Amino acid sequence: MTFSSWGRRGGRAARTAAAAALAGGMLLTSACSGSENIATDQTDSRRPDGALPAPAVPDGGAPGEGAAKGEADKARESAPPADYLSTFALDVDTASYGYARRTLKEGRLPQAHEVRPEEFVNSFRQDYERPEGNGFSVTVDGARPQAPEGEVHGDGGGEDWSLVRVGLSTAAPARTKRPPAALTFVIDISGSMSEPGRLDLVKKSLGTLTDQLRDDDSIAVVTFSDEAETRLPMTRLDGNRDRIHDIVDDLEPTDSTNVEAGVTTGYEEAVEGRRKGATNRVVLLSDALANTGRTEADAILDRIDDARREHGITLFGVGVGSDYGDALMERLADKGDGHTTYVSDEEEARKVFVDQLPAHVELRARDAKAQVAFDPQTVKQFRLIGYENRAVADEDFRDDRVDGGEVGPGHTVTALYAVRLREGASGHVATATVRWLDPATRAPHERSGSVEAGAIDGALWDTASKRLQVTAVAAYFADELRDGSVPGSPGLAELRDRARALADSTEDTAVRDLADAIGRAVRLTG
């Protein structure tokens, strides 16, 4: 059997480890070898109203508008074997990496189940070309990690493996005036939030944000401990900033943590105060240590499902605290059509609330999913690094009833694969496709791109772009904190040294922080 069980990784779940992101109808050149990656627009025949019809549907998919039976039959005939498909919902979360850094600073290694490699990778700036308009651009490149001779990591060592990076990017926030925002802040004021760096950090952040938002933006404030309370219904900032500051300044920690009550009441307020033409979002600020009410994410989300689906109100989770319910927050955000981040100090909080949130309150894509089809003639094995919690069944890729991920302006999403080619293989390696719905019209769109064997054959640490090297360091670091099974990892000590060199060459403080985090892990593992 040429395709190993490591590549399958549990049947459908393994196949769903996938990648993505493709885009903008343009010709892209690989940074590693100069070979071409062609990004094609799969929905370029417009209806009279200007909307793009859905593409052809593969076997098992739900037909999209405009998909003809003949096109679907053709797609099924050309589809690769199921084991060579990888499908997942896009993810721009970064909380896992932020919390891991906090844990390492406190002299502890993060728990393996708290480490999500995709969130490590997506914490860093990328070098992808951005599209000129709506939709996604695509970059597909790669390189060989070339593990030291005689040193074996994972299944089969690193010498005959390559890393393939599939990345998508949306256009930066428009300089023209964005739509107004209607933000409902759901704030945890339970006893556990009294620890320094929790409620005090939240209050400072909201106070700063209140001064940064525009007069035509609106906010509501809901607090929760053992019960939930609306402190401020949806209110425009114009003429009300002092009132909002007073409400935020008066917040004090009280009793237990009933996340269910907070999220339910928050969504009720968001629906009640929903503004047509505005970006409506619930922002949950909590350590997510639920101990009262229903404490499971699925039970909580059942209460707000109608608001989420019918009104399109997304959930943005901001985690705080040294003890943090990472799994609950991630689940809430994933199923609430949003994303999560984690803040541990004022600098990080300012970045989230001042630099990011005001510019990114609008969406560029809803229910975005990616599917990568590997060529069985050239690929012997593959593995997506991370994205286990974002798996989507292959046949659901074009079923727009199945939830995907939400992506805003200026975001990048990266999926990194370990790929083992067949001996002497050349030519086509993989085709990646991203599918999403227009946030306003719900019209489906797709972009696709391909990569050839020559584009992934360069030496990772010698000829690859600096940003691809940073991506590899972040992914290998996450994997070492879990199980160290990805081929080609040089080990923590060398990852630390490479991160330090990359920090110097890129002059990127985020990469310097990565080097510091790896250095702490080296000391703790001794």
Side-chain angles (χ1 to χ4, degrees), residues 45-213:
S45 56
R46 295 182 181 270
R47 302 197 308 258
D49 61 2
L52 295 174
V57 182
D59 192 18
E65 184 179 356
K69 182 178 183 301
E71 293 174 329
D73 292 341
K74 184 177 180 181
R76 280 192 287 270
E77 291 172 1
S78 61
D83 284 335
Y84 284 83
L85 288 175
S86 172
T87 310
F88 71 95
L90 301 191
D91 189 3
V92 295
D93 292 352
T94 60
S96 176
Y97 175 65
Y99 186 49
R101 285 183 57 214
R102 168 72 177 262
T103 302
L104 289 164
K105 284 182 179 179
E106 294 177 345
R108 299 178 289 118
L109 289 170
Q111 298 293 313
H113 70 272
E114 298 170 344
V115 176
R116 293 184 291 277
E118 69 276 14
E119 297 187 22
F120 279 54
V121 167
N122 284 321
S123 295
F124 296 93
R125 181 166 56 86
Q126 295 289 355
D127 53 0
Y128 309 143
E129 184 174 349
R130 295 190 182 276
E132 293 182 359
N134 292 329
F136 295 93
S137 67
V138 65
T139 300
V140 185
D141 58 9
R144 289 183 178 271
Q146 295 179 320
E149 185 176 354
E151 184 176 351
V152 176
H153 293 269
D155 181 1
E159 298 86 343
D160 55 351
W161 289 81
S162 293
L163 294 179
V164 172
R165 180 178 64 161
V166 181
L168 68 89
S169 174
T170 57
R175 293 186 178 183
T176 57
K177 189 174 180 180
R178 63 166 171 80
L183 307 176
T184 301
F185 291 97
V186 179
I187 305 168
D188 186 347
I189 59 168
S190 62
S192 61
M193 292 290 286
S194 63
E195 174 193 295
R198 297 194 187 195
L199 186 56
D200 60 332
L201 184 60
V202 168
K203 291 168 64 175
K204 290 178 182 177
S205 302
L206 290 181
T208 303
L209 180 63
T210 297
D211 294 330
Q212 295 290 323
L213 289 172

Side-chain angles (χ1 to χ4, degrees), residues 428-446:
H428 179 252
V429 172
T431 296
T433 303
V434 64
R435 180 180 176 88
W436 74 97
L437 303 182
D438 182 275
T441 67
R442 300 280 178 165
H445 302 266
E446 288 193 10

